[in-house]
Amino acid sequence: RVSSHSDALSRITASVAQNASQVTQALDYQTTEMRSASNEANALLEALQGRKAEAGIQDFVNQASFISESLQSIAVDMSRVMKTQITEDDWRRFNKGEQGIFVRKMLGFREKAKLVSIRDKYQVDGEFRDYVTRYFSEFEVLLDESKKRDQEGLLKSIFLSSDVGKVYKLLGPCLGPGNRRSGRLISRL
């Protein structure tokens, strides 16, 4: 009887050992498969993050280009409202692709007397005020977007030193602190 129990126990032990070996092999296989799937997922995540960064840069370039074109267009309108002398040559240069011609014309208003005329025009001419407000808003969007992508401030410096940035800085002091949108111009310069 003890012998039969001993034999039965040996068979059961062997069966359990065999089952444990099979379970261990199955777990090893599943662990290897999970590790492989995890590595593939990590590689895919890295690729997606790279594409996201590339798309973010491309999106910013597209947005900056659109805003720049909008600023150029607003500068045309401001020049027209300010009754700046716009020659046929100016229009020809603009139509040939020299988009900054009207922005540079606005920069011609740097003299103190002309700055006063800009301030006066802003106070009495609603159309001009709307153009200036749009210009400020568009340029501030450009600065905000550049700040998101460039913590060192290099892009901000580039935009502020460009012709459209110079017009932004030119218009700010002419309008006085009460007319600037939430005082942002002062804090940005």
Side-chain angles (χ1 to χ4, degrees):
R1 218 172 188 221
V2 171
S3 169
S4 69
H5 285 317
S6 176
D7 289 339
L9 188 58
S10 290
R11 282 192 305 271
I12 291 172
T13 303
S15 175
V16 167
Q18 183 180 4
N19 287 343
S21 176
Q22 289 173 351
V23 167
T24 301
Q25 287 176 355
L27 285 174
D28 285 344
Y29 174 77
Q30 288 179 352
T31 301
T32 301
E33 288 296 309
M34 288 179 72
R35 187 175 296 123
S36 175
S38 175
N39 289 340
E40 287 177 22
N42 283 335
L44 181 59
L45 181 61
E46 287 177 18
L48 287 173
Q49 287 173 336
R51 286 188 181 167
K52 179 183 174 188
E54 289 173 15
I57 290 169
Q58 187 59 44
D59 181 50
F60 173 71
V61 168
N62 290 341
Q63 185 178 18
S65 177
F66 176 77
I67 290 172
S68 179
E69 289 174 14
S70 177
L71 292 171
Q72 303 290 347
S73 175
I74 295 169
V76 170
D77 294 328
M78 285 191 297
S79 292
R80 180 184 50 78
V81 171
M82 287 297 298
K83 296 185 173 117
T84 305
Q85 183 178 357
I86 300 173
T87 65
E88 290 294 322
D89 184 53
D90 293 335
W91 281 113
R92 189 174 64 256
R93 291 167 57 193
F94 178 78
N95 289 327
K96 284 186 177 180
E98 192 176 334
Q99 301 295 315
I101 185 77
F102 295 106
V103 170
R104 286 190 294 282
K105 284 219 175 256
M106 287 297 299
L107 290 175
F109 284 96
R110 293 185 198 174
E111 299 168 17
K112 189 170 184 168
K114 290 183 178 180
L115 294 176
V116 170
S117 73
I118 290 174
R119 185 182 62 232
D120 293 344
K121 185 81 164 169
Y122 181 86
Q123 291 174 351
V124 298
D125 188 330
E127 181 183 22
F128 182 70
R129 188 172 35 256
D130 289 344
Y131 289 135
V132 171
T133 301
R134 281 183 39 218
Y135 194 94
F136 270 72
S137 296
E138 293 282 334
F139 194 80
E140 286 175 352
V141 167
L142 188 63
L143 291 178
D144 288 342
E145 290 300 315
S146 68
K147 184 177 180 181
K148 289 178 190 175
R149 288 160 176 78
D150 175 29
Q151 299 302 315
E152 292 80 31
L154 180 62
L155 287 173
K156 176 182 169 183
S157 296
I158 290 170
F159 289 130
L160 285 170
S161 63
S162 69
D163 287 340
V164 290
K166 290 174 185 173
V167 169
Y168 176 79
K169 292 188 292 187
L170 169 82
L171 292 173
C174 297
L175 307 181
N179 293 323
R180 288 187 216 129
R181 206 166 58 112
S182 64
R184 291 180 66 181
L185 180 66
I186 293 172
S187 67
R188 292 192 182 278
L189 300 180

